[in-house]
Amino acid sequence: MLLGALVVGLLLGAGGVGAAWALGGEDGGSGSGAGAAGDARGACAALDGFDESRYGAKGDEGLVALNRWSGAVTLSAAAAAGDQEYRPLAEALKRAQQRHAREFTFDAEAKKDLAKARGICADL
């Protein structure tokens, strides 16, 4: 039951972040942030606001963390699909996501991949 709720939350969060990014754009919606680079910037912005210690918290605090996490993962995958340059970012986040799905926590290995992704974002 909990796993099902988590999956639904991830899907809704990813869709919401993706829709907001696509509709908003950096200049109010003219589409200047479109494409792989815009998706990568969106993934990094979501990751920048993500605090893994808040993931799973009750209430709005936990929902914010959940949605930022799912948004970062989803947008990084979109960026990598659009341009292979962003593949390392997507792979680091995917490894962290898979590790979290197995362990139900952001353990040392997941945090290592999060740090790698944050480093990639710092260089973008």
Side-chain angles (χ1 to χ4, degrees):
M1 184 99 156
L2 178 61
L3 184 57
L6 179 62
V7 169
V8 169
L10 287 171
L11 292 174
L12 290 175
V17 170
W21 183 259
L23 294 173
E26 286 188 9
D27 64 354
S30 71
S32 68
D39 289 338
R41 285 191 303 274
C44 290
L47 184 59
D48 185 49
F50 173 64
D51 180 355
E52 57 270 24
S53 70
R54 304 287 186 222
Y55 190 91
K58 294 194 183 285
D60 290 342
E61 183 179 48
L63 289 174
V64 167
L66 172 75
N67 288 317
R68 286 184 177 158
W69 172 241
S70 62
V73 171
T74 301
L75 286 169
S76 71
D83 186 335
Q84 290 298 306
E85 174 186 353
Y86 304 112
R87 189 172 183 189
L89 174 62
E91 288 176 346
L93 289 176
K94 182 178 179 181
R95 281 191 307 271
Q97 180 186 41
Q98 290 172 339
R99 181 72 181 185
H100 182 268
R102 282 191 307 271
E103 302 298 324
F104 299 106
T105 187
F106 288 97
D107 65 1
E109 285 297 314
K111 287 181 180 181
K112 179 179 162 186
D113 286 319
L114 284 173
K116 180 173 182 164
R118 288 178 170 130
I120 292 167
C121 285
D123 293 337
L124 290 181

